[in-house]
Amino acid sequence: MTAHTPELVPHAPGTVDVATTHASTEAAHGEGGGLPQFEFQHWFGQIVYLIFLFAILYLLIAKVFAPRMRRVFDEREATISTAIATARQVQAEAAGQAEAAKAEVEKARADSRAASVAAKARVTDEANRRAAEEEAVVNARIAEAETAIGKTRDAAMANVATIAADTASAIVERLTGKAPTAAETAAAVKGAA
């Protein structure tokens, strides 16, 4: 507490003398009262300090803070512009790579189709060649078999006359009891043929 605080004397318990408190406050602040900054005698100094502080603040803002903020804004703008340009470049490269990959896939598909057609043609040609070779082998075997059958048939036909003569002679001998001569048997077989 300050030394100028007057003692309060209550008139009744719980009450304070308002007049004494107001008088003591007036005496503590002086006789004039009011705010000193509104008194004309102090305005010149206040205006000089205001102009001085405004000039200092203006210089600080113009020479220190504004260039720093401008530099930060320029750096941010450059960073954003660079990031956007890089993103567009990467996007263009990705689109180019996607087109190249698509072209490679289409080329691979076309190559695989061509390879499958060529393989199918090669397999078909190989199968036809093998079938032709096997058919030629079978035809050669058939020709050999027909030749062998022809030889066997000719040999059998040559022996048929002899077998027929022997059979006719045996039948006649059995039926008549007398064997025919070879000339008679040969003439009978020749006449029957």
Side-chain angles (χ1 to χ4, degrees), residues 21-38:
T21 304
H22 183 63
S24 64
T25 306
E26 288 281 326
H29 288 295
E31 297 276 331
L35 298 172
Q37 56 266 41
F38 288 131

Side-chain angles (χ1 to χ4, degrees), residues 96-123:
Q97 289 176 355
E99 288 296 323
K102 186 177 180 182
E104 287 178 8
V105 167
E106 289 299 323
K107 183 180 181 294
R109 285 182 182 165
D111 290 346
S112 66
R113 286 186 195 123
S116 70
V117 168
K120 185 177 179 181
R122 187 174 58 246
V123 167

Side-chain angles (χ1 to χ4, degrees), residues 75-178:
E75 287 176 5
R76 287 178 91 192
E77 184 178 347
T79 302
I80 291 170
S81 298
T82 304
I84 290 172
T86 304
R88 286 186 178 150
Q89 180 182 3
V90 168
Q91 184 179 16
E93 289 175 4
Q97 289 176 355
E99 288 296 323
K102 186 177 180 182
E104 287 178 8
V105 167
E106 289 299 323
K107 183 180 181 294
R109 285 182 182 165
D111 290 346
S112 66
R113 286 186 195 123
S116 70
V117 168
K120 185 177 179 181
R122 187 174 58 246
V123 167
T124 303
D125 291 343
E126 182 68 22
N128 290 340
R129 185 185 60 77
R130 284 183 184 170
E133 287 176 0
E134 290 174 2
E135 188 175 343
V137 168
V138 168
N139 288 337
R141 287 184 181 170
I142 289 173
E144 288 174 8
E146 286 178 353
T147 304
I149 290 171
K151 287 180 183 178
T152 305
R153 185 185 64 228
D154 291 342
M157 291 306 271
N159 291 332
V160 165
T162 309
I163 293 171
D166 290 342
T167 305
S169 172
I171 291 174
V172 169
E173 184 180 342
R174 181 148 183 131
L175 288 175
T176 60
K178 172 176 140 178

Side-chain angles (χ1 to χ4, degrees), residues 44-60:
F44 179 73
Q46 289 175 0
I47 291 174
V48 169
Y49 279 120
L50 182 65
I51 292 173
F52 179 70
L53 287 176
F54 180 76
I56 289 175
L57 284 175
Y58 177 78
L59 289 174
L60 282 173

